[in-house]
Amino acid sequence: MVSMKKYSGIVLVFILFLGISVSSCEDMLDTDPKSYVEEKDFFKHQEEVNAAVAGVYTQLIKLTGKYLLVTELKGDLMRTTVNAPRYLQEMNKHSVSKDNPLVAKQDYYDVIFSCNKVLENLDKVKENDKDIRPEELAGIAHEMILVRTWTYFTLARLYNSVVYTETAVEGFTGNEPLLPQEQMVEKLIETLEASMAKERTKDYAATFSGLPTKEFVVEEQLYADLLLWKGDYQQAADVYFKFLQFGDNTKVNEDHKLADWKAVLWGGEAVMEMNLYPFTHNLYEMTIKDYWLAPADSVLQAWSLQKHRAGDGTGDRFRGEGVSFSTDGEPKIFKYYDPEEDFGRYEIQYERGAGMHLKWAEALNRLGEHETALKLLNGGYESEDPEFKGNIGVRRRAGLKDVELDFSYLEEGKVPDAQDSMIQIENAIIDERALELAFEGGRWFDLMRVAKRRGDNAFLADRVASKFPEAERESIRLLLMDESKWYFLWK
Amino acid sequence: MLWAFCFSGLASAQTEESVRLKQDLRGLLNSIGSTKQASGIGQEGLGKECKPSIEQTLIGKVPGLWVKERSGMPGEGASFYWRGVNSFRANQTPLVVVDGIPYETYSLGYSMVDGFYNNPLANINPNEVQSITFVRDAVAVWGSRAVNGVLMIETTKADKVQTEINFRASGGIVTAPEKISLLNGAQFRGLASDLASSGFSSHKDIEKTYPFLLDDPNAPLYHQFNNETDWQDEVFSDAKLQEYNISVSGGDEIAKYAFSLGYTNREGLYKNTDFTRYNINMKGDINITRSFKFEPNMSIVLKDNALMHQGLRSATNPLLAAYKKSPLLSAHAKDDEGRDLPYYSSLYFGVSTPTVLIENSSADIRSYRALASSKFTYDFGKAFKVNLLFGLDFNKSRERIFIPQDGVINRYEYSETGKRINYNGMRQGVERSLSYFGDLYATKLHRWGKHQLDARAGLRYRTVEIELDNAYDFGSPSDDFKSVGQGSARSLRRVLGGVSDNVELTAYGVANYSFDNRYLATLGLAYDGSSRVGEEASSYALFPSAGFEWRLASESFLKDSQLFSLLSLRTNFSLAGNDRFNALLGRSAFRPVQGILSGVIHNGLVNKELEREQTTNLDFGVDAGLWNRRINISAVYYFRKTTNVIVGYELREPLSGMYYDNGGEIENKGWELAADVRLLDKELKFDLGFNISKNENQFTKLSASSNPLALQHSGKLVEEIPGDGQVVLQVGAAMNQYYGYRALGVFSTTEQAESAGLKDEDGNPFSAGDMIFDDVDNNKIINANDMQAIGNTMPEYVGGAFAKFNYKRFELSAYCDFATGCDVYNYSRVISESMYGMYNQSKAVLRRWRAEGDQTSMPSATMSDPMGNSRFSTRWIEDGSYIRLKTVSLTYSVPKLKFYQNMKLYFTVDNVMTRKDYLGYQPSEAAFGGAGAGLSKMPSGRSFIIGVQLGL
C-alpha cells in the first residue's frame, strides 16, 4: 500500500484545492429569491417598469393625505377642537415642533427618489426590452416628471427653500444646495415644458398598466397652477381655457347643476382625484367620530349669509349645510363622510371643475379682463368659441345671486378704478373658493398665492387669525405678518 | 476533559489496541475543538423526562448554555443562548447538526397561530437520540455557522451485531399550576364602580351605561350580569401524556441495521390542546467491501399540534380572555330565571368568551419531515479515508385556523358597503422547506515515533429553499364553515407568501498534532461563502482557529500520580463570521408593496459593502480528573469580541429608512465551571455534580458609519419589544436592558402631588392616586427623556446541579437549574393590574388607592388610564432569578428473567418546585429573543410520569 500512502496526501490536498477553486466560483452562491428582485436584475422589461411606476403612485397616495390635512389646517377654514392631539394643534397654531409627523420630509423625498430611479433606468429598459417604443418611454418619463413636479411644488410652498435633485437616492450627496421657491418654480416649469414638448403616449400608466392614475396628477392643471403662482397670467389663462374647453371638463353647466351632490364630491367633477383609503377613514374619524377638526366660524357664517338667486329654489346646492358641514349638534366637517353609508369616503378630489374655473377667473382678472372673470364667477361666460359652451357660472350653478363687490372702503363719492376692481374681484374669487371648495385641500396655498402677489401679508394673516378666539387672534396675526413664519423649517 | 458518552462502548474493552483507539478517538474529538458534553445526557436520561422536544432536556446541563422554554405549549420547545448576546440583527442560535447534517432551525418556525413558534426541533424524538454534545470550537470544521457553538445530536446508530429489541412505554399526567388570583363578582363590581365614576360625571350616566352596578334583581339582563364565573377553570385542565417507542437493531459483520418507531401524545394544559408525533427511523451500516462502507439513514416524522392562540390579543388568546373577562358574566346567555340558554351570551365589555375560544376556535398544524441521507466511506488503508455524506431534508407544515364569530370579539372590519360587521376568521397556510446537503471530506492519521498527526479536509455545500403561503379569509356564512374560500368579505381577504433561497459553501481543513500524548496542537481553517452579505462585499472569507493543550498528567512528574489521573491546560482561539442576517440589508432591491395599486418600491439607500459580523473567541481552560476520575473538574475562562456588528443608522434628512453598517462592537467574557464527584462508591453510589457559568456582556463601541449620510448615533439604540415595552442598547453597558420609567410609588395625598408638580407630556398634572415616576431631567415633565435602563434581560449566572444515588437496583436522580441576575417583564400583570377598562383584574388591585391618605403602591382605577400609570416602568419589571428542582427520577432495574435481557421501571416528576420572587408562573419561560417576558402564553405544568423500559 505504499502507493496509497503516497497518494493519500495528494488526495487530501486535492480535495482542499477543489474546495478553494470551487469556492471562487461566485455563481454557486447565486440565489434566486422570489420575494424581491435585486436592482441589477431589474428594469429588464416593460412589466418591471410598470411595477415601479405603480410603486411611485403608491407612495404618492401616502403623501397626498398629508398634503390635504396640512394645507387645510394652516388655512382659515378648518380648525382644531380641544380634543385634537398635540401635533394637530401645533399645525393649527402655526408653531410646529421638529418631531411633528406632518412636517417630516421623508414621504416627499421617497416619491422624488422613486421617480428619479425610474427616470434613470429608462435607458436600461430601452436596451433590454426590444418591444417598448420610444413614445412609451417618453410617456413614462413624462408621468414621473409630473409626479415629481407636483411633489416639489408642494414642498416649495410648504418649506420655501428645499433641496432639488434629479438623481436617485444613490446619487444624493447631502451637499446639494437649497433652491429658493422662485427658482424652484422656474425650474419646474422649464422641466415640465421640455417634457411636454416630446412625442409621447398620453396617460401611459392608465393605458398600459391599467392603473387608475389618470386623475392623480393632471398635466394641464399642474402646469397652469405653476404659471399662476409664478405670475404668468396669460399663459395660465390659455392653459385653463384649453383644458376646460374639452367636453366633459367644463362641468360648471346645467348637467352638473341638476346632478346629485354626490356627483360633485364623489367623482363627477374630479380633475385630480385619488383613492386615499384608509387615510380618508382617518379623516372621517378626525372630523366626525372623534371630532378633532371642525369648520371655522367664519366660513360657517359666510355660508349662512349666502344670498339666493331669484327664482332658483333654495340655492347653495352642493355646498355648505348638509354637504360641507353637518347640522345636528355641533357643526362638523362632512366632506370626508358619506352619511348615507355611515362611512368614510374612499376618494378625495383635490382639484375639480369649479376650482379650475375660479383659478381661470383669477388669471383673467389679473390680466385686466374683469368682465369675463366676473362672468365665470357669477352667471356664466358665453365665449365665441363653439367648443366652450353651456357655462353657467359657479354661483349660478349653486343657485346663488351674483357677488356684490364691496367698495365701501373708498371715500365717499370716489369711483372705483381698475385696480380697485381687480382687488375686489380677487377677494370675491378667494371668498368663493372658501364657500365652494372648503376642506378639499390647498386653501393655505390660495391665501399664500394672493398675499405674495399683492405683497400684502395682512391678507393672509387677517383671515387665518379670524378662526381663533379673541384672546389669541392678535398674536397669530402678528406671527403671520412675517412671511418666514409661513414655512416649515428645513433643518 | 471528555465524557465521551457515545464512545463508552469502545472504551470498555481494555486491550492495548482499544486503549490506543480510545486515545485516537479522543484526538479526533479534540480536532473538532474542546467538547463539553452535557453531563448525564444519554439515551436513558433523555427519554425519562418525556419532553416533547429534545432541547428541553438540556436545561441546566450544559455549562454556558442558557436554555429557556418558550412556554408550556407542548412542542414549542426552548430557545438557547450561549456565552451571552453577541448581535442585534444576526441570528445567534447555535448550529444544530443531526447525524452529521445541519438541521434547519434558523429560517423555519413561522406560524399563523398567534404567539406560537412551530419548533423544528420538535420533529426529533428524544428517545431516538443517543447522545447530545455541545461543541464549543467547531468553527474549523463547520465554518462560520458554528460561531455560537454546535449542538451535535446523534441518533441511535446501527452498530450492534447482536439483535436487540428495546421497548419503552411511558405515561403520566401534567397538572396545571396554581391559578392567578382574580377578583370575584363583588370585588369586580367595586372596581367597575371606581372606573365608572372616573369616566362619567353624573350618576345617571353611570347607571344608564352600566346598569349592572345597581344590583337590582328586576333590571333586565340581571342574570346576565350576576354570575360568579371562574374563567380560568374554563380554560385549564390537567393533561395526560403517553409515549411508546420500539427499536430493533442487529445484523452481522457485513450489514447492521437499526429500526425504530415512536409515538408521543401529550395534551396541553388548556382544554382541546394536544401534541402528537409519530416517527420512524431506519439506519443501516453496510460494509460493501472491506474498505467501502455505506450508511443509509432515513427518518420520517408526522407531527400534529392542536393549539390555542398565545398572542397578545385577548380576542383570540383564551388565557388573556380568562384574565380579562368579568366574573359577573357567563358563557351562555341566561333567561329570566337565570338558567342557561342554548346559545352564547353577547359580548359585554369587549372580551371574547374563553369557553367559546376553547370549544369552537381551532388552530391545527400538521407537519411532515423527511430526512434521508447516505454516507459513503472508503478506507484506502494506512488510516486514510474519504467520506461522502449527502442528504436531503424536507419539511412541510400545514396550518388551519378558525376563529368563530359568535362569542368572540373579532377585529371588526368595514365591508365594501361600509358597514361594520363582525366576521369569523379562517386562516390556512403552508410552510415548505427543502434542503440539500453534501459533505465530502478526507481524513488521514499519520504516526511516526512519538508524533501523531491527524488531519481532515473537506468541502461542504448546502442549499435551503423555503416557501411560505398564507391565506386569510373572513366572513363565512356561519361558524360551521371553517375553510378559506368560504368567506364573503372579499375585500378583506389577504394572501401572503414568500420564497427564500440560500446557499452555503464551506471548504475546511483541520490538523491535530500531538507529541507523546503530552503536547497537542490544533490548527484549522474554514473558507466560507455566503449569499447574504452585501452586493459588493466579498462573499468568501477565511476563518482560522488554533488550539493548544498540555496534558500534565502524562508528564513524567505526574504520570504515576495518585491524585491526578487527568490534568490538562488548554487554550483555544478562533475567528468566525456570522452571515445569518437579512440579505436585503446589503442589497439594492425592489420589493412588492401592498395597497390599492400593486407595484414595487425600492428599499432605499443600502450599504452594498455590508460584511459579516466577526467573532473572535479566546478560551483558557483547565480539566482535571482526580483520584482515578472520582472527581472531575473542568473550568474555562473565555473572552469573545464581536466586531462588525450590524447596526441600523438613521439616514440624514430628507432620506428615509435605515442604513445598516458594520459599526458595532460587543464583548462577552466570563467563565464556565463544571464539576462532579462520586462521593460514595460502595454498594451505595452517590454522585454529585454542578455546573455554573457567568457571563459579562458589554456593548463596547458604536462607530460612525462610513457613509456620511448615515447619522451618528447618540450612543443609544432603543428597540420595541412585544407588550409595548422597550429595550435599550447603550455603549458601555450590557446589551438589551429594559428601557422605561422608574416608578417611585403612588401619590398618597393631593398635597403631595401638588408639591411634586409633575405633568405628563400633554401637560396634564399627576394627582393623588397616580404613579410617581422618576423625573430624571428634573423639568417637572414626565416624557421619553425620563426613560432609563430599568432591568437586565440576560442573566449573570446560569447553571444546574444534579445528584444521583445508586443502590443495588435502584437509582434516584435529581436535577436542578438556576439563573440569577436577570429581570423579567411580567406582561400578564400589565393585563391584570392596569385597571383601564371594564376588565377583570387580579386581586392585587384590591390594594389600589381610593381615598386621600391611602398609602399603597397600586394606583387608582381610572377609566382608560389617561395619565399612563400603566406605562412601561419598573412597576412591571421583576427579579427573574430562580432555582428550580427540575426533575426527580427513580429507576428500578428489575431482576433479569429469561424472556428479557433487561427491564427498568421508572417514575419521574418534572418541574418539581421553584424558588422564585417572580409573581408569574415561570421566570424561565422566554417570550422573545433574550429577554424574558411573562407574556400570556400557556404556562408549564408539573408532570408525573411512570414508565417501563424493556430490552429483549
Side-chain angles (χ1 to χ4, degrees):
Chain A
M1 293 301 270
V2 172
S3 56
M4 274 339 294
K5 179 175 176 174
K6 228 185 12 201
Y7 287 129
S8 60
I10 295 173
V11 174
L12 212 66
V13 172
F14 172 71
I15 290 180
L16 201 59
F17 186 70
L18 186 75
I20 292 172
S21 57
V22 167
S23 307
S24 55
C25 186
E26 288 281 325
D27 293 339
M28 296 209 72
L29 288 178
D30 267 344
T31 59
D32 180 27
K34 289 145 196 117
S35 50
Y36 62 87
V37 182
E38 289 194 40
E39 190 173 347
K40 56 178 161 60
D41 301 321
F42 204 62
F43 288 122
K44 298 248 169 85
H45 30 258
Q46 203 165 358
E47 281 85 56
E48 288 171 350
V49 186
N50 294 349
V53 166
V56 170
Y57 280 116
T58 310
Q59 290 177 309
L60 179 66
I61 289 174
K62 208 165 80 160
L63 196 51
T64 312
K66 211 156 77 153
Y67 155 88
L68 210 78
L69 204 54
V70 170
T71 57
E72 284 299 318
L73 254 186
K74 278 165 80 84
D76 57 337
L77 307 179
M78 185 193 277
R79 63 175 177 88
T80 47
T81 64
V82 290
N83 306 327
R86 187 167 56 98
Y87 76 97
L88 291 176
Q89 303 269 18
E90 281 181 1
M91 188 60 66
N92 190 45
K93 291 210 179 88
H94 293 266
S95 66
V96 284
S97 52
K98 242 181 3 173
D99 60 354
N100 191 310
L102 295 175
V103 169
K105 304 179 206 66
Q106 278 84 353
D107 287 346
Y108 295 92
Y109 282 90
D110 278 348
V111 175
I112 290 168
F113 284 124
S114 294
C115 289
N116 290 348
K117 195 164 265 296
V118 173
L119 288 166
E120 273 184 4
N121 277 293
L122 288 176
D123 282 339
K124 189 170 160 193
V125 180
K126 193 162 97 178
E127 269 174 44
N128 284 304
D129 187 337
K130 295 302 169 208
D131 293 328
I132 193 167
R133 295 190 305 263
E135 319 85 76
E136 287 174 336
L137 286 170
I140 299 168
H142 188 68
E143 276 192 49
M144 294 295 93
I145 288 176
L146 279 178
V147 171
R148 188 177 74 187
T149 303
W150 184 87
T151 311
Y152 271 130
F153 191 32
T154 309
L155 269 175
R157 289 178 289 176
L158 289 175
Y159 291 83
N160 200 23
S161 296
V162 303
V163 159
Y164 179 81
T165 175
E166 289 179 2
T167 63
V169 71
E170 287 84 3
F172 187 69
T173 62
N175 298 323
E176 285 83 355
L178 300 177
L179 206 61
Q181 195 188 87
E182 254 182 66
Q183 289 176 40
M184 174 68 85
V185 173
E186 288 284 355
K187 186 141 193 90
L188 293 175
I189 291 175
E190 191 186 304
T191 318
L192 192 54
E193 283 173 348
S195 184
M196 291 192 316
K198 298 209 177 108
E199 172 96 34
R200 62 187 197 278
T201 14
K202 252 208 140 235
D203 292 324
Y204 174 87
T207 322
F208 285 82
S209 322
L211 296 172
T213 55
K214 209 159 148 196
E215 287 157 344
F216 281 22
V217 182
V218 173
E219 179 194 301
E220 294 85 348
Q221 203 286 330
L222 181 59
Y223 185 39
D225 245 2
L226 281 164
L227 294 166
L228 193 64
W229 190 275
K230 180 181 162 188
D232 194 346
Y233 304 114
Q234 185 58 60
Q235 189 75 317
D238 287 343
V239 177
Y240 281 122
F241 174 61
K242 253 209 324 240
F243 179 74
L244 292 170
Q245 236 182 352
F246 285 103
D248 214 36
N249 287 344
T250 312
K251 306 209 199 282
V252 181
N253 52 28
E254 284 292 337
D255 294 333
H256 281 260
K257 179 180 178 183
L258 299 172
D260 188 287
W261 71 268
K262 271 190 184 179
V264 170
L265 291 179
W266 284 71
E269 201 175 297
V271 173
M272 306 225 301
E273 174 183 67
M274 243 184 233
N275 183 324
L276 294 179
Y277 185 82
F279 179 74
T280 44
H281 196 68
N282 298 345
L283 279 179
Y284 147 64
E285 290 183 340
M286 288 190 215
T287 52
I288 308 279
K289 223 171 73 138
D290 299 327
Y291 195 49
W292 290 350
L293 306 172
D297 287 337
S298 55
V299 72
L300 290 170
Q301 194 177 46
W303 274 312
S304 69
L305 293 176
Q306 288 176 125
K307 299 203 173 67
H308 300 146
R309 186 174 285 267
D312 211 324
T314 48
D316 192 353
R317 209 162 286 135
F318 326 140
R319 352 198 295 182
E321 198 171 312
V323 175
S324 299
F325 65 95
S326 69
T327 45
D328 77 293
E330 307 240 23
K332 293 185 177 171
I333 295 171
F334 242 39
K335 279 196 178 169
Y336 307 125
Y337 174 56
D338 182 0
E340 283 176 39
E341 299 287 352
D342 191 21
F343 186 60
R345 295 172 50 185
Y346 287 101
E347 286 97 8
I348 288 285
Q349 290 186 43
Y350 55 108
E351 195 63 63
R352 57 183 172 96
M356 283 190 85
H357 277 264
L358 291 171
K359 277 201 175 131
W360 184 22
E362 193 180 316
L364 289 171
N365 183 39
R366 279 279 153 179
L367 287 170
E369 299 191 34
H370 307 303
E371 289 280 324
T372 321
L374 278 173
K375 282 184 180 156
L376 285 171
L377 173 62
N378 289 321
Y381 169 59
E382 272 167 42
S383 117
E384 290 102 48
D385 194 314
E387 289 295 329
F388 189 84
K389 50 189 192 295
N391 176 266
I392 60 171
V394 174
R395 284 189 71 88
R396 196 167 110 193
R397 186 179 76 157
L400 296 173
K401 219 165 132 185
D402 285 0
V403 152
E404 276 162 26
L405 297 180
D406 174 17
F407 292 111
S408 59
Y409 63 94
L410 292 175
E411 283 161 26
E412 195 69 49
K414 188 127 191 297
V415 174
D417 61 16
Q419 179 70 4
D420 292 317
S421 288
M422 186 168 70
I423 297 292
Q424 289 311 310
I425 292 174
E426 199 165 71
N427 286 351
I429 291 174
I430 295 298
D431 289 341
E432 195 62 31
R433 287 185 74 83
L435 296 167
E436 177 78 28
L437 308 163
F439 324 128
E440 289 176 29
R443 178 64 181 174
W444 173 245
F445 293 155
D446 287 342
L447 297 177
M448 272 175 70
R449 184 174 65 244
V450 174
K452 275 171 77 81
R453 179 189 292 156
R454 294 188 195 174
D456 177 17
N457 291 0
F459 178 83
L460 181 150
D462 286 338
R463 277 176 171 71
V464 175
S466 72
K467 77 176 177 186
F468 291 92
E470 281 270 10
E472 299 164 40
R473 224 169 267 177
E474 193 49 43
S475 59
I476 297 282
R477 190 186 175 278
L478 219 57
L479 180 78
L480 293 174
M481 285 299 289
D482 175 4
E483 188 179 326
S484 70
K485 294 287 188 279
W486 296 357
Y487 303 109
F488 299 141
L489 292 172
W490 176 259
K491 271 272 167 278
Chain B
M1 174 147 73
L2 307 161
W3 295 315
F5 214 83
C6 47
F7 294 97
S8 59
L10 288 160
S12 56
Q14 285 299 314
T15 62
E16 171 74 21
E17 180 68 49
S18 61
V19 165
R20 208 167 69 154
L21 206 57
K22 179 165 97 175
Q23 287 175 333
D24 294 340
L25 291 162
R26 265 214 211 138
L28 203 58
L29 271 176
N30 226 1
S31 78
I32 50 175
S34 40
T35 65
K36 205 19 118 230
Q37 187 172 14
S39 29
I41 298 287
Q43 196 149 29
E44 283 180 21
L46 295 168
K48 273 190 251 179
E49 293 179 36
C50 288
K51 284 279 177 216
S53 56
I54 186 74
E55 74 279 14
Q56 289 173 293
T57 59
L58 295 177
I59 295 175
K61 291 183 183 147
V62 179
L65 192 68
W66 186 38
V67 183
K68 283 178 73 65
E69 286 175 304
R70 294 188 179 91
S71 73
M73 186 68 82
E76 210 179 6
S79 46
F80 31 97
Y81 307 93
W82 183 62
R83 291 194 175 167
V85 176
N86 64 357
S87 179
F88 311 126
R89 305 250 149 228
N91 187 272
Q92 301 175 62
T93 55
L95 176 66
V96 178
V97 173
V98 177
D99 292 337
I101 300 189
Y103 196 79
E104 183 62 40
T105 53
Y106 168 45
S107 322
L108 296 178
Y110 172 76
S111 169
M112 293 164 93
V113 179
D114 296 342
F116 181 70
Y117 175 74
N118 191 5
N119 183 18
L121 287 172
N123 289 328
I124 301 175
N125 182 353
N127 289 285
E128 283 305 312
V129 175
Q130 185 173 293
S131 72
I132 303 183
T133 312
F134 185 76
V135 183
R136 291 199 286 247
D137 309 303
V139 175
V141 171
W142 291 98
S144 55
R145 310 271 141 21
V147 65
N148 290 304
V150 177
L151 198 67
M152 305 213 52
I153 298 176
E154 296 281 330
T155 58
T156 322
K157 290 195 184 336
D159 57 1
K160 295 182 207 62
V161 177
Q162 2 160 208
T163 308
E164 254 185 48
I165 302 176
N166 276 300
F167 173 74
R168 167 188 261 151
S170 313
I173 58 162
V174 187
T175 57
E178 234 178 82
K179 290 185 291 199
I180 302 286
S181 275
L182 297 172
L183 300 176
N184 64 24
Q187 293 163 339
F188 176 79
R189 224 185 237 110
L191 174 69
S193 240
D194 283 357
L195 285 169
S197 331
S198 71
F200 292 88
S201 40
S202 86
H203 271 276
K204 262 254 191 54
D205 283 337
I206 295 178
E207 281 165 26
K208 197 168 81 169
T209 322
Y210 303 115
F212 66 92
L213 288 174
L214 281 176
D215 206 12
D216 169 19
N218 296 318
L221 299 178
Y222 171 74
H223 288 285
Q224 205 57 64
F225 290 98
N226 210 50
N227 302 282
E228 197 65 68
T229 317
D230 184 336
W231 292 108
Q232 289 182 88
D233 274 347
E234 302 278 311
V235 172
F236 283 102
S237 83
D238 289 343
K240 298 196 291 293
L241 65 88
Q242 50 185 326
E243 280 188 12
Y244 306 101
N245 287 280
I246 181 166
S247 69
V248 182
S249 61
D252 59 21
E253 297 299 326
I254 306 286
K256 296 188 269 287
Y257 65 89
F259 168 81
S260 61
L261 280 174
Y263 168 76
T264 303
N265 176 267
R266 187 185 179 111
E267 291 174 346
L269 290 173
Y270 298 163
K271 299 175 187 166
N272 295 339
T273 55
D274 193 89
F275 169 84
T276 311
R277 176 179 56 214
Y278 304 85
N279 65 281
I280 175 168
N281 296 58
M282 287 180 282
K283 280 208 180 80
D285 185 327
I286 301 153
N287 290 317
I288 297 179
T289 73
R290 240 178 346 149
S291 330
F292 189 40
K293 187 148 97 144
F294 167 52
E295 291 165 78
N297 183 352
M298 188 163 87
S299 159
I300 297 177
V301 177
L302 173 66
K303 183 180 78 172
D304 275 328
N305 284 88
L307 304 161
M308 286 286 145
H309 295 271
Q310 300 193 110
L312 294 181
R313 296 173 52 225
S314 62
T316 50
N317 181 339
L319 186 65
L320 282 187
Y323 287 167
K324 287 169 81 166
K325 198 154 181 89
S326 165
L328 297 176
L329 301 170
S330 59
H332 287 261
K334 302 270 188 193
D335 67 8
D336 289 329
E337 323 281 302
R339 291 177 300 219
D340 271 358
L341 288 166
Y343 48 89
Y344 293 121
S345 86
S346 297
L347 293 169
Y348 302 105
F349 308 144
V351 184
S352 296
T353 305
T355 322
V356 174
L357 287 172
I358 293 288
E359 288 174 6
N360 290 353
S361 79
S362 60
D364 298 323
I365 305 181
R366 166 158 286 187
S367 310
Y368 310 86
R369 187 169 197 137
L371 188 66
S373 72
S374 295
K375 183 169 173 188
F376 293 96
T377 309
Y378 196 87
D379 188 346
F380 287 90
K382 295 281 182 183
F384 175 61
K385 293 190 186 156
V386 172
N387 300 272
L388 173 63
L389 170 64
F390 62 89
L392 75 79
D393 182 3
F394 175 75
N395 264 290
K396 182 167 166 177
S397 279
R398 197 187 23 76
E399 303 186 70
R400 186 179 287 145
I401 295 165
F402 177 71
I403 301 167
Q405 175 248 92
D406 183 21
V408 172
I409 293 284
N410 257 313
R411 262 190 284 233
Y412 43 81
E413 263 133 339
Y414 295 91
S415 70
E416 279 173 333
T417 58
K419 293 267 189 299
R420 190 163 104 183
I421 302 183
N422 288 334
Y423 286 123
N424 53 19
M426 294 83 75
R427 302 179 199 173
Q428 265 173 250
V430 173
E431 182 179 59
R432 211 181 58 94
S433 91
L434 182 59
S435 162
Y436 292 101
F437 173 77
D439 190 0
L440 172 66
Y441 63 97
T443 57
K444 171 92 177 97
L445 182 62
H446 198 68
R447 260 185 232 135
W448 67 106
K450 286 190 180 175
H451 310 265
Q452 178 176 300
L453 178 68
D454 83 74
R456 174 173 165 175
L459 180 67
R460 194 180 289 124
Y461 179 76
R462 179 165 180 254
T463 72
V464 185
E465 184 199 88
I466 298 178
E467 178 180 329
L468 184 69
D469 303 302
N470 285 347
Y472 294 77
D473 200 3
F474 300 89
S476 72
S478 81
D479 286 343
D480 298 309
F481 299 93
K482 303 183 189 196
S483 287
V484 164
Q486 297 174 326
S488 62
R490 302 273 153 107
S491 61
L492 300 176
R493 269 187 188 158
R494 255 158 51 213
V495 178
L496 308 170
V499 180
S500 91
D501 233 320
N502 273 301
V503 173
E504 297 161 6
L505 193 59
T506 306
Y508 62 98
V510 65
N512 290 281
Y513 166 78
S514 79
F515 175 73
D516 198 25
N517 209 19
R518 278 185 285 144
Y519 311 107
L520 295 88
T522 304
L523 195 61
L525 203 60
Y527 189 54
D528 242 15
S530 157
S531 61
R532 286 197 196 95
V533 294
E535 247 174 87
E536 289 165 17
S538 60
S539 323
Y540 290 95
L542 213 52
F543 300 114
S545 54
F548 181 74
E549 184 178 340
W550 179 20
R551 292 195 179 156
L552 287 123
S554 304
E555 287 287 358
S556 46
F557 51 88
L558 280 181
K559 219 173 10 195
D560 301 308
S561 157
Q562 282 282 30
L563 176 64
F564 290 105
S565 23
L566 192 144
L567 181 63
S568 296
L569 293 176
R570 279 181 293 112
T571 174
N572 258 293
F573 161 82
S574 72
L575 185 66
N578 191 345
D579 76 328
R580 289 181 294 173
F581 49 82
N582 187 343
L584 280 179
L585 298 183
R587 275 146 203 269
S588 173
F590 288 89
R591 277 173 306 149
V593 63
Q594 290 186 332
I596 313 241
L597 308 174
S598 164
V600 296
I601 49 175
H602 186 246
N603 61 351
L605 193 66
V606 288
N607 180 4
K608 295 190 182 168
E609 289 166 9
L610 195 65
E611 294 177 344
R612 289 176 176 80
E613 300 186 346
Q614 281 219 349
T615 301
T616 311
N617 198 79
L618 193 60
D619 264 14
F620 296 100
V622 174
D623 295 321
L626 308 173
W627 292 299
N628 207 24
R629 309 286 298 270
R630 251 185 92 162
I631 299 183
N632 297 299
I633 303 175
S634 170
V636 117
Y637 172 78
Y638 66 86
F639 177 74
R640 299 183 109 201
K641 184 160 159 156
T642 310
T643 56
N644 272 1
V645 177
I646 296 174
V647 176
Y649 296 80
E650 253 183 59
L651 283 165
R652 182 131 67 89
E653 276 192 341
L655 301 176
S656 68
M658 297 288 269
Y659 183 82
Y660 293 93
D661 209 345
N662 302 94
E665 268 182 33
I666 298 170
E667 263 176 30
N668 277 292
K669 52 182 191 255
W671 46 262
E672 291 154 14
L673 174 67
D676 66 84
V677 55
R678 169 148 288 191
L679 279 176
L680 292 171
D681 200 5
K682 305 277 160 57
E683 226 191 322
L684 169 67
K685 295 185 182 35
F686 178 35
D687 292 297
L688 204 57
F690 74 93
N691 70 79
I692 180 169
S693 68
K694 176 173 168 154
N695 173 260
E696 251 174 64
N697 168 284
Q698 195 183 75
F699 178 30
T700 46
K701 199 155 124 187
L702 182 53
S703 315
S705 166
S706 48
N707 191 324
L709 293 171
L711 297 173
Q712 168 61 318
H713 278 290
S714 56
K716 204 157 52 161
L717 298 167
V718 179
E719 300 241 327
E720 308 271 311
I721 57 173
D724 295 326
Q726 282 100 221
V727 288
V728 69
L729 302 142
Q730 272 173 312
V731 177
M735 285 176 60
N736 289 343
Q737 298 200 289
Y738 288 120
Y739 189 64
Y741 299 90
R742 186 163 291 281
L744 302 173
V746 170
F747 285 118
S748 159
T749 61
T750 312
E751 195 202 320
Q752 188 190 5
E754 279 173 0
S755 67
L758 294 173
K759 294 195 161 66
D760 74 358
E761 190 170 77
D762 289 321
N764 303 309
F766 286 92
S767 48
D770 284 328
M771 296 290 295
I772 309 173
F773 292 112
D774 193 6
D775 182 17
V776 173
D777 55 3
N778 256 313
N779 63 352
K780 302 288 185 201
I781 301 179
I782 302 293
N783 59 11
N785 297 332
D786 298 304
M787 296 213 266
Q788 47 184 295
I790 53 176
N792 295 320
T793 57
M794 295 292 278
E796 203 185 346
Y797 293 97
V798 158
F802 72 87
K804 231 195 265 200
F805 293 90
N806 270 294
Y807 181 68
K808 295 196 176 157
R809 297 191 166 280
F810 288 94
E811 180 185 295
L812 176 68
S813 66
Y815 288 89
C816 256
D817 69 303
F818 62 87
T820 67
C822 62
D823 299 301
V824 180
Y825 170 35
N826 193 341
Y827 183 72
S828 38
R829 269 184 53 225
V830 176
I831 301 285
S832 60
E833 289 178 24
S834 293
M835 302 178 286
Y836 67 92
M838 289 297 177
Y839 303 122
N840 199 10
Q841 303 280 276
S842 82
K843 283 203 172 23
V845 310
L846 293 172
R847 297 186 278 111
R848 65 185 179 276
W849 186 95
R850 287 174 126 148
E852 280 288 314
D854 276 358
Q855 302 261 34
T856 171
S857 58
M858 176 74 63
S860 58
T862 35
M863 187 73 95
S864 307
D865 189 18
M867 293 311 290
N869 289 326
S870 58
R871 64 183 76 192
F872 187 64
S873 70
T874 51
R875 185 175 165 194
W876 314 115
I877 306 292
E878 297 176 35
D879 183 4
S881 308
Y882 70 93
I883 176 161
R884 167 171 58 172
L885 180 58
K886 182 103 177 48
T887 317
V888 175
S889 190
L890 178 65
T891 311
Y892 172 66
S893 299
V894 180
K896 184 168 161 24
L897 283 182
K898 218 169 16 174
F899 69 95
Y900 59 78
Q901 294 282 13
N902 58 68
M903 174 151 115
K904 290 196 175 136
L905 298 170
Y906 50 89
F907 171 67
T908 307
V909 182
D910 186 63
N911 210 9
V912 182
M913 62 178 177
T914 312
R915 163 93 187 78
K916 60 177 168 74
D917 283 331
Y918 176 61
L919 299 169
Y921 295 115
Q922 278 289 4
S924 61
E925 268 157 27
F928 94 98
L935 300 187
S936 290
K937 291 192 167 196
M938 182 192 281
S940 293
R942 185 173 294 127
S943 325
F944 297 88
I945 301 163
I946 54 165
V948 60
Q949 185 180 306
L950 202 58
L952 302 169

